[in-house]
Amino acid sequence: MRIATTIFLTDETITPVRVARELEERGFAGLYLPEHTHIPVERTTPYPMGGELPREYSRTLDQFVALGQAAAVTERLGLGTGVTLVAQHDPIALAKQVATLDHLSGGRVTLGVGFGWNREEAADHGVEWSRRRDLVLDRMGLMKALWSPEPAAYKGELASVRASLAFPKPVGPRVMVGGAAGPKLFAHIAAYADGWMPIGGGGLTESVPRLTEAWRSAGRAPEDLEIVPYAVQPTPGKLEHYEALGIEEVVLQLPSAGEKEVLGVLDGYARYL
């Protein structure tokens, strides 16, 4: 099983270059980065994990700039977003960013797609909260049209693009959807993704059969479905359970911290490689 990592990189933490080099040298499979453009001070949306919102949420580096640095100093390390809030991006510009990173890195990109939890952040991007999933569906359709080998148009209710010349073409990218289990999420995964990134990695014994059924109903081959537990706090038993489910990659959580603390945690994670 491939062992990757995720970390909130900020202006106060270990740098993208240092952590990427350390991960590749130690044999880890990938680096996934989250994003928040900003956190409005006047916020009524509760933090999903409860309690105060951790400091790093308001200080995250731009994930594509940071991953570009990571790509430049590595050769094999997977480069992922966990997740990209697609509704908060111009989809034509986002398609270009993803394609460029995938092209320059030699096809190492995983685009993690998310819908967001912070209503105020999304509102500042002009997102109508109740329609954000519909918006993401259309924007992913638009992006895939721009990535297609030949010029292809896409026309949806909330996003459209003319048949266009758009380069570079990505090698992939692998597209994974993050979020809590449920019919709406599973419909998105079956429509345009390669699989699911369940945050925390819990409840898979019950959820995976339901996702597999939605996947089959969409006419997709069960063997193509990928499950990548994300932001996992590992234990030997948990990873053994994932392997028993046929999972081939897991993303472990690193602390949003300086070099000494992050490298110490990587030392501990080495036993899972």
Side-chain angles (χ1 to χ4, degrees):
M1 188 164 59
R2 301 187 303 277
I3 306 296
T5 64
T6 182
I7 181 174
F8 273 87
L9 289 178
T10 78
D11 56 322
E12 299 176 324
T13 67
I14 189 171
T15 67
V17 166
R18 183 63 193 278
V19 73
R21 282 175 168 158
E22 289 286 344
L23 289 170
E24 183 157 276
E25 288 173 4
R26 293 164 183 253
F28 287 89
L31 171 64
Y32 289 73
L33 301 181
E35 76 163 348
H36 284 282
T37 53
H38 67 299
I39 301 294
V41 174
E42 295 183 0
R43 178 175 57 86
T44 59
T45 307
Y47 175 45
M49 304 302 291
E52 291 295 317
L53 185 68
R55 177 183 179 87
E56 57 264 26
Y57 277 74
S58 64
R59 307 187 74 101
T60 54
L61 302 181
D62 179 282
Q63 58 187 180
F64 289 103
V65 174
L67 288 171
Q69 280 201 325
V73 298
T74 58
E75 296 181 351
R76 301 175 304 280
L77 189 71
L79 308 164
T81 66
V83 293
T84 297
L85 301 172
V86 173
Q88 297 180 189
H89 287 263
D90 177 307
I92 297 174
L94 180 59
K96 174 73 80 172
Q97 286 177 287
V98 175
T100 299
L101 180 61
D102 201 45
H103 169 73
L104 292 177
S105 68
R108 291 188 273 152
V109 171
T110 294
L111 176 65
V113 174
F115 307 102
W117 58 267
N118 190 333
R119 289 172 179 258
E120 289 79 14
E121 178 185 357
D124 285 346
H125 286 279
V127 177
E128 183 181 350
W129 188 253
S130 63
R131 303 214 66 191
R132 71 193 190 284
R133 292 178 183 271
D134 297 328
L135 182 60
V136 169
L137 183 64
D138 266 349
R139 288 187 171 177
M140 288 304 303
L142 182 157
M143 291 165 62
K144 283 179 172 280
L146 292 174
W147 294 336
S148 63
E150 299 296 329
Y154 178 83
K155 187 168 181 59
E157 181 185 358
L158 300 176
S160 61
V161 69
R162 297 173 176 85
S164 303
L165 298 173
F167 293 88
K169 296 300 183 186
V171 179
R174 180 174 67 160
V175 175
M176 305 290 288
V177 178
K184 291 181 179 179
L185 183 87
F186 292 165
H188 270 260
I189 294 169
Y192 59 76
D194 297 298
W196 180 31
M197 293 199 308
I199 310 302
L204 297 186
T205 302
E206 298 77 23
S207 299
V208 170
R210 290 188 283 130
L211 171 56
T212 301
E213 180 57 34
W215 185 267
R216 287 178 185 271
S217 296
R220 304 191 65 178
E223 62 270 19
D224 293 337
L225 176 61
E226 298 186 53
I227 310 290
V228 179
Y230 187 80
V232 170
Q233 299 291 346
T235 65
K238 187 181 293 186
L239 298 191
E240 288 171 6
H241 174 61
Y242 293 155
E243 283 192 301
L245 291 174
I247 288 170
E248 297 180 353
E249 180 182 0
V250 61
V251 181
L252 307 185
Q253 183 69 59
L254 289 171
S256 181
E259 286 189 13
K260 183 177 180 180
E261 184 174 348
V262 170
L263 298 183
V265 173
L266 285 178
D267 289 340
Y269 285 174
R271 62 178 170 154
Y272 301 120
L273 295 174

